[in-house]
Amino acid sequence: MSKTIIISNRLPVQLQISDGGLSAIPSVGGLATGMKSVHSGGESLWIGWSGLTDEDIPDGLSETIDSALKEHGCSKVRLTKDDVDGFYFGFSNRTIWPLFHYFLEYSEFELDFWDSYKSVNQKFADAILEEAGDDDIIWIHDYQLMLVPQMVKEKRPNATIGFFLHIPFPSYEIFRTLPWREEVLEGLLGADLIGFHTYDYERHFLSSVRRLLGLDVSFNDVYLENRVIKVDSFPMGIDYDKFHKAAKKSSALKGKQRSDLQIKLDEHKKSAPDTKLIVSIDRLDYSKGIAKRINAFEYFLNKYPEYKEKVRLIILAVPSRSNVPQYKLLKREIDELVGRINGELSTVNWTPIWYFYRSLPFENLIDLYTSSDIAWLTPLRDGMNLVAKEYVATRTDKTGVLILSEMAGSAYEMNEALLINPNNFEQQADTLKQAITMPKEEQIARNMFLQNRLKRYNVEVWANEFMNSLKTQGQDIGTYVSQ
Ligand code: ADP
Ligand code: G6P
């Protein structure tokens, strides 16, 4: 029977070795949280990096690691510390990530990073070639592995290969600054189907293909000598039922069964019922606009001082890529900003910002979503932003207001949210006021539309649409190859 091989740098679990032995923790990030639902439901093998380098793994533990991963339907690609430094912290996160998120000034064009990216992509391709049978479908994910499609296609011309990019594809004007732009495009074109979250990313990609490689492009087909590649947009959904049901369960629990965080949030509601809770949840990443959001919050409190002691901003930031200098600097900037604003504005009864720098277990995340009157998400650029969708899915009584940046891919599907430009403080201050004072009926009306859409276009539908399109594309492979 044919199976689907999912391949991404990040597996759904990360392994850690401590005094207590080997443990697996869930990975954070849209790719892992979204694909996890697809993977657990079906016949698939997920290949990726375990989070441990060869140097981290003591002699004799490799087999234990293999069986731990096998329990999760996963198999590992072995990476050395040098691989991780050059490929992951280097080319993936100091070159491609900033460039594709329009942070051109952060993007470093280092030959060593590129060499490492090529050699590690080859390791992933080899892992696929070792595991994949002739009838298997290969689904490659994200910006860390853009050369893998071509590397696999060269060895297995008949293989059906899909690629999905979870981050934006930038406009041609940005993309063309990359010294290895042709190689990256050619790498991607090894796939039979290339998927993006939005039509705009798809259009940017096609424009780069036409202008940089001079290939024929008709609608969303790219013509190579002996192959046709389909390019399309598939906006990723969430596991709506999982979030909705978890939220129902959380509100039904009483007394001791409630999590510590929920108890604290409940106490807060009791002691200050008029104080509105505004939540923001992201990886600590400059693309998420966290520092600007904090500044905008200060601007709001100065513009509308009547809301002092009446609102609280909860910032949950999960540690991410902390070896990359820009992330270190950002961490420091946020620590200082929160410290300064809380120092200047706090009163005996009120701290304006609660800041948590950690990953939360799923139940706690749900507690935070369900307890917050407003979710305020301000990415400066974001491929999709699943947090926006998760917040709406947990609002079981349909109340709650979502304020969302226009620069997030999810904004295209979430018109009923209050959409803002994260660089416009004036607009955000007014929008926060609008959210705080929005009548319940209006909240319900907006969320009803949003929930219906999220329910219909959930992550399963997303995966099925991609797979069906890939299978259709795969049926034609033999025809082209034999011509
Ligand atoms: P990105 O993929 O860029 O990180 P998304 O918003 O698409 O952004 O996805 C983030 C995912 O990580 C969501 O599924 C969210 O629930 C999860 N997440 C974010 N912050 C935390 C946290 N502090 N603890 C646990 N999960 C988190
Ligand atoms: C985004 C990327 C993913 C990545 C995730 C977490 O969602 O699209 O590919 O896995 O961020 O980042 P990390 O660097 O920890 O894998």
Side-chain angles (χ1 to χ4, degrees):
M1 206 174 86
S2 80
K3 61 180 178 304
T4 302
I5 301 209
I6 300 170
I7 182 139
S8 65
N9 174 54
R10 188 68 75 192
L11 285 172
V13 287
Q14 291 302 283
L15 298 185
Q16 287 180 341
I17 300 174
S18 58
D19 293 346
L22 191 67
S23 56
I25 55 161
S27 300
V28 175
L31 190 169
T33 56
M35 283 304 293
K36 205 185 299 180
S37 309
V38 177
H39 177 56
S40 57
E43 271 293 303
S44 51
L45 170 71
W46 193 332
I47 302 176
W49 174 49
S50 69
L52 297 171
T53 63
D54 282 356
E55 291 82 348
D56 294 329
I57 303 173
D59 288 343
L61 205 69
S62 189
E63 279 176 19
T64 318
I65 288 177
D66 287 345
S67 36
L69 290 177
K70 206 166 172 197
E71 277 174 35
H72 296 273
C74 297
S75 160
K76 72 172 189 299
V77 174
R78 293 177 53 168
L79 299 185
T80 63
K81 186 179 173 304
D82 278 354
D83 287 339
V84 173
D85 285 346
F87 147 79
Y88 172 72
F89 289 116
F91 197 76
S92 298
N93 290 314
R94 290 169 72 162
T95 308
I96 295 293
W97 180 273
L99 189 71
F100 280 33
H101 287 84
Y102 293 72
F103 285 81
L104 199 53
E105 71 282 18
Y106 290 179
S107 197
E108 296 170 52
F109 301 138
E110 288 284 334
L111 193 55
D112 287 352
F113 290 170
W114 168 244
D115 285 341
S116 175
Y117 187 77
K118 279 192 292 186
S119 86
V120 173
N121 269 240
Q122 190 62 57
K123 287 191 178 186
F124 279 84
D126 291 345
I128 300 178
L129 292 165
E130 205 171 290
E131 293 282 357
D134 283 342
D135 297 332
D136 292 344
I137 294 195
I138 299 162
W139 191 0
I140 303 164
H141 290 265
D142 230 357
Y143 65 105
Q144 303 91 344
L145 303 180
M146 291 190 288
L147 306 181
V148 175
Q150 187 191 31
M151 289 170 167
V152 175
K153 199 60 152 188
E154 266 168 14
K155 292 273 161 46
R156 295 262 181 98
N158 282 317
T160 305
I161 306 174
F163 180 92
F164 190 84
L165 188 74
H166 291 257
I167 66 173
F169 193 92
S171 82
Y172 163 73
E173 284 302 335
I174 296 280
F175 181 72
R176 70 173 171 147
T177 62
L178 182 70
W180 307 279
R181 57 202 188 179
E182 286 87 2
E183 287 92 325
V184 166
L185 293 178
E186 282 160 3
L188 290 168
L189 290 173
D192 302 294
L193 172 67
I194 303 175
F196 298 94
H197 281 306
T198 73
Y199 174 63
D200 280 346
Y201 308 157
E202 173 195 334
R203 217 167 36 82
H204 293 323
F205 173 73
L206 288 173
S207 151
S208 286
V209 165
R210 205 170 349 96
R211 299 172 77 169
L212 291 167
L213 299 183
L215 291 174
D216 282 344
V217 173
S218 161
F219 296 106
N220 53 353
D221 287 333
V222 178
Y223 293 87
L224 291 186
E225 233 168 80
N226 56 355
R227 293 173 53 223
V228 179
I229 293 119
K230 189 170 179 184
V231 179
D232 213 342
S233 54
F234 303 86
M236 190 177 190
I238 56 163
D239 187 341
Y240 181 88
D241 285 344
K242 180 174 146 194
F243 281 91
H244 198 72
K245 281 184 190 149
K248 274 202 165 134
K249 195 170 148 206
S250 149
S251 56
L253 289 176
K254 294 270 179 284
K256 276 194 180 148
Q257 282 176 292
R258 291 173 87 81
S259 71
D260 292 355
L261 181 74
Q262 185 63 65
I263 292 168
K264 186 151 171 46
L265 292 166
D266 286 350
E267 278 169 13
H268 162 89
K269 284 259 148 182
K270 251 193 217 147
S271 62
D274 294 335
T275 306
K276 298 278 184 191
L277 284 184
I278 306 173
V279 74
S280 72
I281 299 180
D282 331 74
R283 276 181 310 99
L284 192 109
D285 195 300
Y286 49 81
S287 64
K288 303 288 181 182
I290 306 171
K292 270 214 169 131
R293 185 187 309 146
I294 298 171
N295 282 314
F297 186 56
E298 183 184 28
Y299 189 89
F300 160 76
L301 290 173
N302 287 330
K303 182 167 183 190
Y304 297 110
E306 63 272 28
Y307 288 111
K308 286 184 181 165
E309 301 200 333
K310 294 274 179 284
V311 291
R312 169 167 292 140
L313 175 61
I314 304 184
I315 297 176
L316 175 66
V318 64
S320 187
R321 306 173 195 164
S322 33
N323 282 8
V324 175
Q326 293 299 344
Y327 289 71
K328 283 198 179 107
L329 288 174
L330 178 67
K331 162 87 174 48
R332 202 177 318 144
E333 185 185 0
I334 292 175
D335 287 349
E336 283 171 12
L337 264 176
V338 172
R340 181 182 64 72
I341 293 174
N342 276 346
E344 283 174 12
L345 298 178
S346 289
T347 63
V348 178
N349 301 316
W350 178 67
T351 317
I353 303 174
W354 278 355
Y355 170 45
F356 303 94
Y357 176 59
R358 69 189 70 143
S359 177
L360 278 190
F362 180 70
E363 298 73 35
N364 285 182
L365 205 63
I366 299 291
D367 291 340
L368 206 48
Y369 283 140
T370 54
S371 307
S372 302
D373 305 287
I374 296 165
W376 186 21
L377 306 169
T378 60
L380 303 172
R381 202 59 72 163
D382 204 336
M384 173 50 71
N385 197 294
L386 295 180
V387 169
K389 296 184 171 183
E390 293 171 3
Y391 174 72
V392 171
T394 59
R395 308 303 302 180
T396 50
D397 65 357
K398 296 193 170 49
T399 62
V401 184
L402 171 64
I403 304 178
L404 178 62
S405 162
E406 291 162 15
M407 315 300 166
S410 50
Y412 290 83
E413 306 160 75
M414 303 188 89
N415 252 313
E416 296 78 6
L418 302 181
L419 299 182
I420 48 97
N421 174 352
N423 300 307
N424 186 339
F425 285 14
E426 200 66 31
Q427 181 201 28
Q428 287 190 87
D430 295 344
T431 307
L432 279 170
K433 182 167 186 250
Q434 182 189 353
I436 292 166
T437 54
M438 186 183 283
K440 283 234 160 27
E441 303 73 49
E442 185 180 342
Q443 298 177 22
I444 293 170
R446 287 173 183 266
N447 286 329
M448 202 169 68
F449 282 110
L450 288 169
Q451 289 191 347
N452 285 342
R453 207 172 299 128
L454 292 177
K455 207 165 162 175
R456 229 176 318 123
Y457 204 87
N458 62 20
V459 71
E460 204 183 328
V461 173
W462 168 79
N464 285 341
E465 287 197 355
F466 185 91
M467 287 303 273
N468 290 339
S469 182
L470 178 58
K471 283 176 190 160
T472 312
Q473 195 68 6
Q475 283 162 5
D476 295 335
I477 292 174
T479 335
Y480 297 116
V481 169
S482 59
Q483 271 173 7

